[in-house]
Structures are given as structure tokens and as C-alpha cells.
Amino acid sequence: MTSAEAGALRRLAPPARRFLAHRKGVLVRLALWSLAESGQAFLVGHAVARSVDEGFLAGDPRRGLLWLGIALVAVLSGARVVRGVFAQLAGVTEPLRDGLVRRAVDRSMARAAPDGPGGTDRAAVSRLTNQVEIARDSFAGLVLSLRSFVFTAAGALLGLLSLHPALLLVVLPPLAAGLALFLVTLRPMAAAQRRALAADEALGEHAASARAALRDLAACGTGPGVEQRGADLVAEAAAAARTLAGWAAMRTAALGVAGHLPVLALLVAVEWLRGRGVSVGALLGAFTYLVQSLLPALHTLMTALGAAGSRLLVVLDRILGPEPEPEPEPELGPRSEPELGPGTASAPGAAAFAVHTAAAPAVELRAVTLSYGVRAEPVLDALDLRVAPGEHLAVVGPSGIGKSTLTRLVAGTLAPSRGEVRVAGRPVTGCPAAELAALRVLVPQDAYVFSGTVGDNLAYLRTDARRAELDAAVGVFGLAPLVERLGGLDGTVRPAELSPGERQLVALVRAYLSPAPLLLLDEATCHLDPASEARAEEALAGRTGTLVVVAHRLSSAIRADRTLVLDGVRAQCGTHAELLGRSPLYQDLTGHWNS
């Protein structure tokens, strides 16, 4: 079991116990019907053995036929038992479905309520239809499989014991070995499935973004790098698929051991069993128990645990788990993924930097630590930082070191594990979305552009902007050719028809017009050519307010008042000249850029 599944189990255990505690009567009736199934499994094999030993081999065919008739009645009675089981099963699965529907509706209504987190609950329809039905079907399959295996196995094993104890010595070892081998594969195969899914999603996302950015890739000459990244993702997906295939083969082997080896062992041990007094009828009864009851129940259990169990756990955690973090306001666009990777954590006691000013700092971090998980290494560790009002700060460092994490902390879309983050003297953790929007604007790498007019897109964060102000901002950023191509400020914007670079320019003009005193650019110029990037950053730096830029090129650091260098060991902050003298990482980055 993966750590994610273990966490989901811990969250779901209390509501599961409460759910079952309120349905004791149904569970008791289900157990009684299951006992009848156990008796049926016992009777079939026992009747076959008696019909041979006491009937046909003893020269009494009528007695043999009588026992076969009893076995037939036991088999036919299975229909009545199955009907009773399903009738009681509905008393468990349907209340589960109703409860999940209520939970999904309550979550959507809470999001839409005036005091709720707001935003569009895009997953509501999926939770109400597909996910609820998956949960009900998976839960029903698990209950049927577990119940059938426990009671059928009990009846079959008791029947083997009643026929002759030596039969258990032959059947149980391969049966237990196959089941143990299957259980061993559960955790690594679940992890392999998650890795394969993540690799496939990453490859698909890269292919889609590369297709949409073909013009920018050709203009900026960054095609080879994107091609290499695609090749790396293909290799990762292939490796994940091979790993998954290996564990699938192991699971198939486990099913083979548990499903076929007991029968083979019984055939091989016939002479040994006969020497210990096992009759022909007992041997036939043992084969009946294996083929008719025990092995089918075991195969069904393995299939259910391997497939339905994982699906049920994921779906229940999505519906019953904690409310996910609200989506950011539209101006934030899609949020960047947490930058994680080996060696990304800063060492304890990271250096502190301060720009002393009489006014409240535009940005202030007080001993901020952020870890993605209880046992995970911190991405940022005890970080202190002060950015003065009106200052232009660049943030640089290797990929995955925590730059995007820092912008999300300052923007208030991510809460620190420890410490405090303030913007304009106000704590941002837990701050209402409307108040956060008035304090800062975060422009991510994947810029948000919506279907509407050009003017509506540009003035989204400042609806009272005059037409002359929009025209001036368009000129400052060199956006006039695009605006003219779209038909002017009243022209229609179709996001899919814009390149990533064009969408970034629209988002940057929108941020430029915003009245928020703090602008956060998280590689928001990565699709622009160097000249367009320089023009955009100079325009934003000249705007009244504070600018924090996660640098895509080192030229952004040279243009900034100060630069924050994150290197996973200790953070350093200073001017370009100061960092060249004391930061080996900054020297390496600058040398690489100059070359």
C-alpha cells in the first residue's frame, strides 16, 4: 500500500466504522445467508464423497444416487442463497450510494454559498454520477468477494478436514503460498500503477503544450530542448510501463499458484494419501471442494482486491476526504505544480535578509518552512525575507528548488508548514480570496485567457480602466500587432488560437493595469523572446508597486534591484554584483548564461 493509500485509509476508517455500526441488522442477516452458503459448499463435496464410498463402490447404487441427489439439491439451493445475499447486500450498498450523493451535493453547495470558498466545482457532476456509481459497484464487489471467500473457504476447508486431515496437509501449503505471493504484489503494483499514470499524464501534457507553442519554439530556437524533454518523458513512461508489466506478471503467477497448484499437488499425492487411508470418495470430494468452491472463491477475491479495492479507496477519498484547496481567481490561471525533487530542501538556519524601512514590508517571510508531507524534506526551511515597497526582486535557482513554491506562499494559495507570510503587513494564510486579490496578482507560466473581447481580457482586474489607458498599455508592451489582428479592443479572443507567448503578453498587460500593489511573476515570460521579456519586465518594474519575478533568464536578475538565490543548501540575497562575489551557484548560473 502506498503512503497516499495509507493516508486515505486513515481518513476513511472513522466514517466507515460509523456507517457499518448503523447497519448491524443488515450485516447479521448477510452473515446468516453466508453461513447457508458455507453449508452448501460443505454439503456438495461431502455428498460426492459419500455417494462414491457408501454407494457406488459399496455396491449400493441407490444410496449413491441418493447422495448425488443431495449434492444436486445443494447446488440448486445456491440460487436461493444468492438471492438472499443480494437482497441483504442492497441494504448496505444503497445507503452508501445515498450518503455519497448527499456528501457530493453538500460539498458543491458549500462551495457556492456566500461564505464558502467560491469557484466552480467542476468535479461535481463526476462525483454525483460516475464516481458514486464506481464506489457503489466496487463496494458491492468487495463485500461479495470477501464474504464468499471467507464462508465458502470455511465450508470447503471444514469439508476437507471431515473427509481426512491429510487432505489439508496437501492442499493448504500451495494455496497459502499463492495467496501470500498475491498479497506481496499489492503494494508495489499499486505504486507502479500510479507512476505509470503520472508518466502518461506528463507526456500528454507536454505534447499538448508543445503543439500549442510551435510558433514560439521556432521563433526562440528552443525546439531541441523541448524535443529532448519529450524523449525523456517517453523513456520514463516506457520504464513505468515495463515495471507495471513485471508486477502484473508476478500477480498472474500468484493466481496460477493459488488456482492450479493445489489440484496438481492433490494429483501427485494420490498414492501417498491412499497409503494413509484416504478413500477414493474422499479424493473425489476433495477435488470437488477445490474446483467447485475454494479455487473460484479465491480467484474472485484476488481479482476484487487487485482492482475494485484500489478504485473504491481512491473514489471514497475524493468524495469523503477533505475539501481540496479552492481554485485561484481567474487571473491566477492554472497553478504550477509543487517543485519537488532530490536535494531541493534548504538546510536549517537559512540566511536571513532584510531591507529596513519605516513602512511595512511589501513582502515578509518569518522563519517560513514548507514540506509536502510529514516525513518529506522541506522545500523551504526557516526562510526569512523582507521585500521593501516598490522593490524589484528576482528569484533564481535550479529547477525544482522551490521558486514556484515561494510565489504560491506569498500569493496565499499555499500555507506554510511553519512560520508566517505577510503582504503589506497582513498575514496571507487564511485571508479571504477577495482581500488577497486586492493585495497581489500572481501570473503563472500558463497564462489565463478567456473567451471574450480583447478589452475584457485586458481590463479583467480593473474593470473601470478607460479605453485610452488600455491603448497605452497595449503600446507599452508591444501588443498592438496582436490587438489589430484580433480586430481591436472590441475583437473576440479565442484562447486556443493564441500562442503561449501571446497569452502571456495578454496576462502581463492585465497585471500591469491591476491596482494590486504586488505583482508575482512565476516564469510568466518564459514563452517570450528576450527582447519582449526585457520590455515587459521594464514596464512592470516602472509601475507603482512591488515586483517579484521568478527568473526564466539570468537577464531578469540583472535588471532587478536584488536577487534571491535558492540553491537547496542556503539562500542568499543581494545585488547582481554582490552575488557574483559570494554565491558560487549564482556565478555558475551567470557563467552558463554568458557562454
Side-chain angles (χ1 to χ4, degrees), residues 445-470:
Q445 178 178 345
D446 298 318
Y448 173 79
V449 177
F450 56 87
S451 297
T453 67
V454 176
D456 289 341
N457 268 278
L458 299 180
Y460 185 81
L461 301 180
R462 186 182 167 193
T463 55
D464 60 346
R466 296 188 298 273
R467 196 176 188 89
E469 293 174 308
L470 296 180

Side-chain angles (χ1 to χ4, degrees), residues 329-382:
E329 296 84 6
E331 73 269 19
L332 299 183
R335 286 181 13 201
S336 301
E337 291 295 320
E339 298 187 2
L340 291 174
T344 60
S346 298
F353 344 96
V355 174
H356 299 287
T357 176
V363 177
E364 185 176 16
L365 277 68
R366 300 177 179 177
V368 168
T369 296
L370 190 284
S371 298
Y372 292 102
V374 177
R375 295 182 175 84
E377 290 293 330
V379 181
L380 299 174
D381 195 351

Side-chain angles (χ1 to χ4, degrees), residues 221-436:
T222 54
V226 174
E227 181 182 357
Q228 181 59 47
R229 174 60 177 161
D232 294 341
L233 289 174
V234 169
E236 292 174 9
R242 284 193 294 269
T243 302
L244 182 60
W247 285 111
M250 184 71 72
R251 176 171 290 182
T252 302
L255 289 172
V257 170
H260 302 291
L261 203 56
V263 176
L264 294 177
L266 199 58
L267 287 172
V268 171
V270 165
E271 185 177 353
W272 180 81
L273 290 170
R274 291 287 291 155
R276 279 156 181 76
V278 179
S279 65
V280 174
L283 287 172
L284 288 176
F287 281 112
T288 302
Y289 280 129
L290 286 177
V291 177
Q292 184 72 23
S293 302
L294 194 57
L295 298 185
L298 181 62
H299 187 276
T300 302
L301 174 69
M302 289 183 173
T303 303
L305 283 180
S310 297
R311 289 199 305 269
L312 177 64
L313 189 62
V314 171
V315 171
L316 286 182
D317 191 41
R318 288 183 179 273
I319 298 177
L320 299 178
E323 177 71 21
E325 186 177 339
E327 294 182 3
E329 296 84 6
E331 73 269 19
L332 299 183
R335 286 181 13 201
S336 301
E337 291 295 320
E339 298 187 2
L340 291 174
T344 60
S346 298
F353 344 96
V355 174
H356 299 287
T357 176
V363 177
E364 185 176 16
L365 277 68
R366 300 177 179 177
V368 168
T369 296
L370 190 284
S371 298
Y372 292 102
V374 177
R375 295 182 175 84
E377 290 293 330
V379 181
L380 299 174
D381 195 351
L383 177 63
D384 295 328
L385 174 66
R386 301 183 86 191
V387 182
E391 188 177 4
H392 177 187
L393 177 74
V395 183
V396 301
S399 177
I401 206 68
K403 303 186 296 295
S404 292
T405 296
L406 178 62
T407 60
R408 291 180 60 196
L409 286 168
V410 176
T413 62
L414 182 66
S417 305
R418 291 187 298 275
E420 185 179 37
V421 181
R422 289 177 174 265
V423 172
R426 298 190 53 187
V428 297
T429 302
C431 187
E435 296 182 20
L436 281 176

